[in-house]
Amino acid sequence: MWQTSGGWGRIDRGNAVDAMLRYADAGLTTFDMADIYGPAEDLYGIFINRVRRERPPEYLEKVRGLTKWVPPPVKMTSGYVRENIDVSRKRMDVSSLDMLQFHWWDYSNPGYLDALKNLTDLKEEGKIKTVALTNFDTERLQIILENGIPVVSNQVQHSIVDMRPQQKMAELCQLTGVKLITLGVADIGPANQDKSSNDKYGTVMGGLLSEKFLDTNLTIPFAGPPLNTPSLQKYKRMVDAWGGWSLFQTLLKTLKTVASRHGVTIPTVAVKYILDQTAVAGSMVGVRLGLSEHIQDTNAIFSLVLDEEDVNSIQQVTQRGKDLLRVIGDCGDEYRRA
């Protein structure tokens, strides 16, 4: 629900909640949000109340709301942590948060350990069901686990281009049982949709990993689709760091060949490829609620099976790119660089 925070178009609350119900009715019942994603937590609160009123009890049991807490670098006292978690509980209108994913900007400030210990106390009180992380690196994840904090997952940027989580993070996750949730795709749609249906991020790189950008040349001004969202601009810089637009076009053509073999779209292949990686438990599929919607294409991910030929053809291209772990750093470092 990052797209509710602004920069992707105006969100109408009524239409947005209607859209959430349509996703849930189609089996897409887990929603990811944050305290800093504009009205996201409030929208979930409206949505969950409609579910309570308009759907049977067994339906409610399948719905999950995953939120994040992104605090400023102040002293993480028990009272401060509790107060902020209570705000999210009130906004989402739940007695217990299904998952609280914690983010910390500055590793030189060890207050993140105090915050996580206080979050663990709230878990034991029943105010949080599971404690998790977002955009932490491998070194800090190990420190957190060594301090006895029972985090279940770490949400990280992960795509066919950005395979950094498989180099260090996945090994630690395998040893400890922590899972990866990967930043995902918004409204997986066919190539003939307008630009509003192709605002994607993370696993499909802001929408760059899609038919829309196949056979385009962004080096010529106004020749290709506009990079008109924060996510598109962000991930174009990632492509430049990885290997440039020409190599990226080779990757898109390879993904299109794989997609055509299976009767799906490039984004569907891109998400499934990451779901098949070590320690990956799920991928976030970003939605522009009430503005565009492609439930059928999103659900196609679950029936897609990539075979050895598919995987090998993709890897033959990706291995030609630069090692982003050396260029950028470990998971989350892209948010903390000077």
Side-chain angles (χ1 to χ4, degrees), residues 213-263:
F213 287 91
L214 179 64
D215 295 325
T216 62
N217 186 354
L218 296 187
T219 62
I220 302 173
F222 309 109
L227 301 178
N228 57 357
T229 70
S231 45
L232 283 171
Q233 294 158 12
K234 171 183 176 180
Y235 292 109
K236 172 57 167 63
R237 292 192 294 271
M238 188 68 65
V239 167
D240 294 339
W242 171 71
W245 196 251
S246 178
L247 181 58
F248 187 70
Q249 283 298 310
T250 302
L251 177 59
L252 285 180
K253 289 172 184 175
T254 301
L255 293 173
K256 182 61 178 176
T257 299
V258 172
S260 297
R261 282 185 59 207
H262 295 280

Side-chain angles (χ1 to χ4, degrees), residues 39-287:
E41 290 183 334
D42 300 297
L43 290 172
Y44 184 84
I46 299 169
F47 158 75
I48 201 68
N49 270 296
R50 283 194 58 184
V51 169
R52 290 165 181 153
R53 294 194 311 266
E54 301 172 14
R55 300 293 188 273
E58 58 269 22
Y59 184 110
L60 180 62
E61 293 173 6
K62 298 178 181 179
V63 175
R64 295 290 182 269
L66 285 50
T67 194
K68 305 181 192 75
W69 183 38
V70 187
V74 298
K75 189 171 180 60
M76 293 288 118
T77 65
S78 174
Y80 182 79
V81 174
R82 180 184 300 272
E83 177 183 340
N84 279 271
I85 297 312
D86 283 346
V87 170
S88 288
R89 290 170 57 236
K90 182 177 180 180
R91 291 180 71 190
M92 296 173 66
D93 200 13
V94 293
S95 59
S96 179
L97 300 176
D98 291 320
M99 177 182 284
L100 190 286
Q101 301 165 103
F102 177 72
H103 178 85
W104 190 252
W105 291 109
D106 183 9
Y107 292 146
S108 67
N109 180 343
Y112 66 91
L113 290 172
D114 295 325
L116 284 163
K117 287 173 182 176
N118 286 319
L119 290 172
T120 302
D121 289 342
L122 292 176
K123 176 181 180 292
E124 292 173 357
E125 289 181 23
K127 291 192 172 185
I128 301 170
K129 293 176 183 173
T130 51
V131 176
L133 306 173
T134 180
N135 291 311
F136 271 78
D137 66 6
T138 308
E139 180 183 348
R140 253 55 61 160
L141 173 59
Q142 184 158 357
I143 291 170
I144 289 165
L145 294 172
E146 288 172 350
N147 275 269
I149 298 166
V151 296
V152 298
S153 62
N154 185 20
Q155 188 173 140
V156 295
Q157 181 176 300
H158 197 352
S159 71
I160 290 177
V161 166
D162 187 0
M163 295 293 289
R164 288 176 298 153
Q166 292 303 310
Q167 292 175 258
K168 292 170 64 177
M169 181 68 68
E171 182 179 357
L172 178 60
C173 288
Q174 276 192 298
L175 290 171
T176 60
V178 174
K179 299 297 184 181
L180 298 176
I181 298 177
T182 68
L183 299 179
V185 47
D187 290 334
I188 301 172
N192 62 352
Q193 296 292 327
D194 65 30
K195 65 184 178 66
S196 68
S197 67
N198 283 301
D199 280 335
K200 309 172 181 79
Y201 67 103
T203 304
V204 292
M205 305 189 69
L208 295 178
L209 282 169
S210 68
E211 282 82 356
K212 180 182 178 183
F213 287 91
L214 179 64
D215 295 325
T216 62
N217 186 354
L218 296 187
T219 62
I220 302 173
F222 309 109
L227 301 178
N228 57 357
T229 70
S231 45
L232 283 171
Q233 294 158 12
K234 171 183 176 180
Y235 292 109
K236 172 57 167 63
R237 292 192 294 271
M238 188 68 65
V239 167
D240 294 339
W242 171 71
W245 196 251
S246 178
L247 181 58
F248 187 70
Q249 283 298 310
T250 302
L251 177 59
L252 285 180
K253 289 172 184 175
T254 301
L255 293 173
K256 182 61 178 176
T257 299
V258 172
S260 297
R261 282 185 59 207
H262 295 280
V264 297
T265 62
I266 289 175
T268 301
V269 174
V271 175
K272 180 59 175 176
Y273 184 87
I274 297 303
L275 283 174
D276 288 344
Q277 299 301 310
T278 300
V280 174
S283 182
M284 292 295 150
V285 179
V287 288

